[in-house]
Amino acid sequence: MLQPETQPEPHTKPFDRNRSTAFILNLTLLLACVNVWTVTATNSARADDIPPATLKFITAIASDCTQFDVQAIQTVRFRDPMETGTQAGEITLYQVPCNGGAYNIFDRWVLKDPYGALMPLSFATPVFKTEYEDPSEGAKLKSISVTSFTAVADIGASSFDPKTLTLTSFFKKRGLGDAHESGAWTFENGTFVLQRYTVDPTYDGAVNPITIWSRDDSNP
């Protein structure tokens, strides 16, 4: 007598509760991070991309700029890491081209808070004095010291990193870029705080910056 053909049992893996729980936990943490750290960088191609009231405000603060161009305004949006949850407000930065020369471009920055308030930004910058061994252009540096601090609205070759929430600048003293100044400011508690400032005050053809102020020690 013919025996009925038997079907092979499907191959199944035993349910691993620990692995499943770990996967769900990791996914939950990832989604939470996305809610808090969502960042979108956009390049405004038209003036229509910027709300009319915001554009009017930006135009007013750029009234004395020689190279202001609405079409060149850059925007970046991010969420304040100090706020948590899905309702954390979005912050918008506007990078406004202002002035420029042969080898430097200077920008102004405007911040829009989660409630729509607009604020032109200024950046803490050390004022320093230098002494050289002799008055020639390529003279060696004798000393450099910070004498005070000021706040500036126009910063050279600036950019914003949404991952670190840090805005940096690089100002050339001449086209070669050996002599220059550079600053870094990080977003904290609704504004940008100076983290470090470096200077290369020598016109010697080499890039050898000196940190004249650092938040880490405040007295480098």
Side-chain angles (χ1 to χ4, degrees):
M1 180 183 295
L2 293 175
Q3 298 295 326
E5 185 178 353
T6 58
Q7 298 295 329
E9 294 184 2
H11 177 70
T12 59
K13 292 183 179 180
F15 177 74
D16 189 333
R17 184 178 300 276
N18 290 333
R19 291 183 61 185
S20 178
T21 302
F23 173 79
I24 295 173
L25 178 60
N26 289 334
L27 180 61
T28 302
L29 290 174
L30 177 62
L31 292 175
C33 289
V34 169
N35 285 333
V36 175
W37 291 95
T38 298
V39 174
T40 36
T42 58
N43 179 4
S44 294
R46 305 185 313 273
D48 294 342
D49 295 335
I50 303 173
T54 301
L55 183 59
K56 183 177 180 180
F57 182 88
I58 292 174
T59 303
I61 70 155
S63 61
D64 60 335
C65 294
T66 60
Q67 295 188 4
F68 173 61
D69 182 1
V70 169
Q71 307 303 332
I73 295 174
Q74 304 285 322
T75 65
V76 60
R77 298 179 178 88
F78 63 96
R79 295 190 187 279
D80 189 339
M82 298 301 293
E83 298 185 25
T84 59
T86 57
Q87 300 303 316
E90 186 177 67
I91 295 170
T92 304
L93 287 177
Y94 296 94
Q95 183 179 8
V96 184
C98 186
N99 296 309
Y103 40 81
N104 281 307
I105 298 175
F106 293 92
D107 300 311
R108 292 179 183 176
W109 290 79
V110 174
L111 182 148
K112 178 187 281 188
D113 71 14
Y115 306 100
L118 292 159
M119 175 178 66
L121 295 177
S122 58
F123 303 91
T125 305
V127 178
F128 59 93
K129 128 179 123 169
T130 55
E131 292 185 22
Y132 298 90
E133 292 185 355
D134 61 71
S136 65
E137 182 176 290
K140 291 184 178 180
L141 180 69
K142 185 176 181 180
S143 68
I144 183 170
S145 58
V146 174
T147 58
S148 62
F149 282 82
T150 188
V152 298
D154 300 359
I155 55 177
S158 58
S159 62
F160 178 72
D161 183 351
K163 293 182 180 178
T164 62
L165 302 185
T166 300
L167 195 152
T168 57
S169 71
F170 189 89
F171 165 59
K172 295 181 180 181
K173 296 293 187 69
R174 66 176 180 178
L176 185 61
D178 52 348
H180 66 271
E181 298 180 28
S182 178
W185 300 263
T186 300
F187 183 81
E188 295 180 14
N189 300 318
T191 189
F192 283 87
V193 179
L194 178 64
Q195 300 298 313
R196 66 184 179 278
Y197 203 85
T198 62
V199 177
D200 185 344
T202 54
Y203 298 79
D204 56 3
V207 178
N208 39 26
I210 301 169
T211 300
I212 63 171
W213 193 89
S214 172
R215 189 180 181 187
D216 292 338
D217 52 19
S218 301
N219 189 21

